[in-house]
Amino acid sequence: MIPFTAPIDDILFSLRDVAGAADLPDWDDDLASDILTAFAGFAEGVIAPLDESGDAQGCRLESGKVRMPDGFPEAFQQLAEMGWQGLTAPERFDGMGQGPLIAAMVSEVFSGANHSMQMVCNLVPGAISTLLRFGTEAQQETWIPQLASGAALSTMCLTEPGAGSDLSRVRTKATRTGGTWCLTGEKTFISGGDQDLSDDILHLVLARTGAVEDGVKGLSLFLTSKSQAGSSLKITRIEEKLGLHASPTCQMAFDDVPAELVGAEGEGLKAMFTLMNHARLDVALQGVAHAARAHAVAKAYAVERKQGRKPDGGDAILADHADVRRMLDEQNSLTLGARAMVHVTLVEMAKGSDTALVDFLTPVCKVFCTEAGIQTANLGIQVMGGYGYLTEYRVAQTWRDARITSIYEGANGIHAQAIATRGLRAQQGAGAEAFDALIGRLTDHPAVLALREEWRRARDCVAKAADPAALAHDFMTLTGELFFGAVWARIATHDDTPEMERLSGLVLHRAPPWRTAA
């Protein structure tokens, strides 16, 4: 297996120079570099070496308790002792007090090193944000220090059997007796629903406090924990999956589990979206991480593997062949561009001046970046041929692990439909208008501006369509391509090396060579 190396320089360049983080008033370039370098060293030395063995061994359910693969508990203990679980927790709760930009850099490296472990650990920042915004002072004082120290990990319990993306079908019931709430029902596809890494687990649970006919308006958010629930919360199974074998995906049965209301009754989705929006950008970065890893492995193999002859009769390597170079270029351009798309979104979020724009960009990033991760892993397998299909070089595992990203945290088709409907209609299309303006701020490249004109015509067509859902996939694809082209034009303005000029030319001038020649 080719060892994992964190793409530190690429991440810092993208966030600082391309996305414009350096222009933010609270950006500390030295601090960002120091934190990323420190975590990268830990990830390369401790977390990444467990990725392949964890995939082979997987998780197991023993007497109703989940056991993680060998080495995972010890690695998590080191992670917690170094304070990484408290990266975004406020300092008053013994955290580092870092913001989303620093967290994004660390999260990408974590995912690239060991996606399964990242899945179990990285719902904590979203849980902390949810508690800070909606939790009571007592809930914050009780749980945030535990989350920051690693004493507790967290879950997001939304999905139920028969109620996947349609949350109006949630049947888990919350009942109140006096001042006490209890939860009864089933939840499924719960990442880290149980594990033996942390002493406790905080479960954020969406449950019904209103009538079934109230739909999503009858849902509220609750917190409970492994220690509170005791035997009234059972892990009934862990799923056998295509990938992420070292991340326990649990089915959970709640039987009068004591719980506390988080936020206002009937406003569960409002509270839960704080957690979900964090998760969606985090999933986009998982796609970026897989893309970067697949390209790194394929490139390392292609520059060493001898294959065929050069025109002068000497030995050729794989990278000498035009079709292999094409695939490596596509991998690299997708990786760099997808990363920049997320970073631009995060910087716009940090500015805090245009929530409609961030709401529009988030699903675009989720769709484009997860598809980029899957495509780049697929190309990596192709570059390496039969060896790519074997487990030896790990790129097959990269594809298996990446495949879920286009499904969870909202299937990509659902996000496409949201862009084609709410994205063009909410607040008179404010998000789409802000996106249009963003493209103009990012670049004045003629090819991008021409694509923006095509996008504008498509936007007007979709907005007037009787059934915009039928046009959603194509419109999301076009929107992603426009954003991708704009960030690539910006990459080229900040890195004028011959390699970046060549790649930007491939992205921004995609006409077939015979058409150009004609």
Side-chain angles (χ1 to χ4, degrees):
M1 184 183 82
I2 295 171
F4 170 76
T5 301
I8 296 173
D9 292 340
D10 288 346
I11 292 172
L12 288 171
F13 166 74
S14 176
L15 194 51
R16 175 182 56 214
D17 299 317
V18 179
D23 297 330
L24 296 171
D26 58 350
W27 176 258
D28 186 328
D29 204 69
D30 290 337
L31 178 64
S33 180
D34 288 346
I35 289 175
L36 181 59
T37 301
F39 185 79
F42 175 73
E44 291 168 358
V46 178
I47 301 172
L50 297 173
D51 192 37
E52 188 175 13
S53 60
D55 178 69
Q57 184 180 358
C59 303
R60 58 195 186 277
L61 187 63
E62 297 179 352
S63 302
K65 298 184 183 300
V66 172
R67 301 300 179 201
M68 298 291 285
D70 295 343
F72 275 58
E74 294 79 8
F76 177 76
Q77 187 65 31
Q78 292 183 58
L79 184 82
E81 288 175 353
M82 295 172 72
W84 291 114
Q85 285 301 107
L87 182 66
T88 64
E91 292 181 8
R92 70 180 186 274
F93 295 117
D94 300 322
M96 296 188 195
Q98 298 301 315
L101 302 183
I102 299 292
M105 296 192 306
V106 169
S107 182
E108 182 190 331
V109 172
F110 202 159
S111 296
N114 193 320
H115 185 177
S116 287
M117 184 178 283
Q118 192 265 1
M119 280 288 293
V120 177
C121 297
N122 235 49
L123 285 173
V124 164
I128 289 173
S129 296
T130 303
L131 290 173
L132 288 172
R133 184 174 177 186
F134 296 100
T136 65
E137 184 175 344
Q139 289 169 344
Q140 295 171 9
E141 295 286 345
T142 298
W143 285 107
I144 296 179
Q146 293 190 64
L147 294 170
S149 69
L153 285 170
S154 62
T155 70
M156 180 169 60
C157 301
L158 283 76
T159 306
E160 298 181 4
S165 300
D166 184 4
L167 295 178
S168 67
R169 298 177 66 86
V170 164
R171 294 295 183 268
T172 295
K173 186 70 176 176
T175 55
R176 180 166 49 186
T177 304
T180 303
W181 288 95
C182 288
L183 305 176
T184 299
E186 283 186 307
K187 294 290 182 179
T188 193
F189 294 137
I190 309 304
S191 298
D194 189 44
Q195 35 76 14
D196 57 358
L197 306 182
S198 60
D199 294 334
D200 208 349
I201 304 173
L202 171 66
H203 301 295
L204 292 173
V205 186
L206 199 64
R208 186 163 296 286
T209 50
V212 171
E213 52 268 26
D214 292 336
V216 296
K217 294 180 180 179
L219 299 176
S220 303
L221 184 63
F222 293 86
L223 68 78
T224 187
S225 68
K226 184 176 181 177
S227 59
Q228 285 177 288
S231 61
S232 60
L233 176 56
K234 293 182 172 61
I235 306 299
T236 56
R237 63 177 289 167
I238 54 175
E239 306 294 346
E240 296 184 8
K241 310 187 296 293
L242 175 70
L244 296 181
H245 294 160
S247 173
T249 303
C250 300
Q251 185 166 306
M252 306 168 65
F254 296 75
D255 184 11
D256 264 354
V257 173
E260 299 174 27
L261 182 67
V262 179
E265 186 176 344
E267 296 186 1
L269 278 189
K270 180 181 178 181
M272 186 60 85
F273 269 116
T274 299
L275 188 56
M276 292 170 69
N277 284 336
H278 166 269
R280 285 166 178 167
L281 285 176
D282 200 53
V283 171
L285 284 170
Q286 289 170 359
V288 172
H290 285 303
R293 179 65 171 142
H295 175 249
V297 173
K299 182 179 178 181
Y301 181 86
V303 299
E304 293 290 336
R305 169 75 168 173
K306 291 182 179 179
Q307 186 72 37
R309 297 285 180 182
K310 294 180 179 179
D312 63 6
D315 287 339
I317 57 174
L318 272 178
D320 290 328
H321 297 282
D323 194 54
V324 173
R325 291 198 303 272
R326 173 191 64 80
M327 292 187 284
L328 292 173
D329 285 343
E330 184 174 349
Q331 284 186 307
N332 199 16
S333 63
L334 283 171
T335 301
L336 298 175
R339 179 185 290 120
M341 290 166 69
V342 181
H343 287 171
V344 167
T345 302
L346 287 165
V347 168
E348 291 298 325
M349 182 186 295
K351 292 177 182 177
S353 58
D354 197 337
T355 56
L357 174 60
V358 174
D359 288 345
F360 190 89
L361 294 177
T362 295
V364 176
C365 287
K366 198 277 183 183
V367 172
F368 189 95
C369 298
T370 57
E371 297 290 351
I374 296 166
Q375 172 65 358
T376 302
N378 191 52
L379 286 169
I381 294 172
Q382 192 69 24
V383 166
M384 299 171 71
Y387 285 102
Y389 196 66
L390 301 182
T391 59
E392 179 181 357
Y393 287 91
R394 189 202 177 278
V395 73
Q397 182 191 337
T398 299
W399 182 86
R400 289 189 290 103
D401 288 350
R403 188 60 187 84
I404 186 60
T405 60
S406 66
I407 299 171
Y408 63 17
E409 299 309 331
N412 283 0
I414 293 174
H415 288 298
Q417 182 169 322
I419 283 291
T421 53
R422 293 192 303 273
L424 297 185
R425 295 173 182 174
Q427 303 176 39
Q428 288 73 52
E433 288 294 334
F435 173 73
D436 189 319
L438 173 68
I439 299 302
R441 294 200 305 274
L442 288 173
T443 183
D444 60 359
H445 193 286
V448 177
L449 297 185
L451 187 60
R452 183 172 67 168
E453 289 302 317
E454 182 180 344
W455 178 84
R456 286 172 171 172
R457 292 190 293 272
R459 174 197 59 189
D460 294 343
C461 177
V462 174
K464 296 174 183 176
D467 181 16
L471 306 174
H473 172 79
D474 289 342
F475 182 66
M476 174 60 89
T477 300
L478 179 59
T479 304
E481 285 292 327
L482 175 58
F483 194 12
F484 178 69
V487 298
W488 251 107
R490 189 166 174 83
I491 289 170
T493 64
H494 288 274
D495 186 344
D496 59 359
T497 60
E499 175 65 8
M500 288 299 104
E501 287 187 359
R502 187 179 67 82
L503 281 178
S504 66
L506 293 173
V507 171
L508 298 170
H509 302 285
R510 292 190 171 189
W514 55 85
R515 185 183 303 166
T516 304

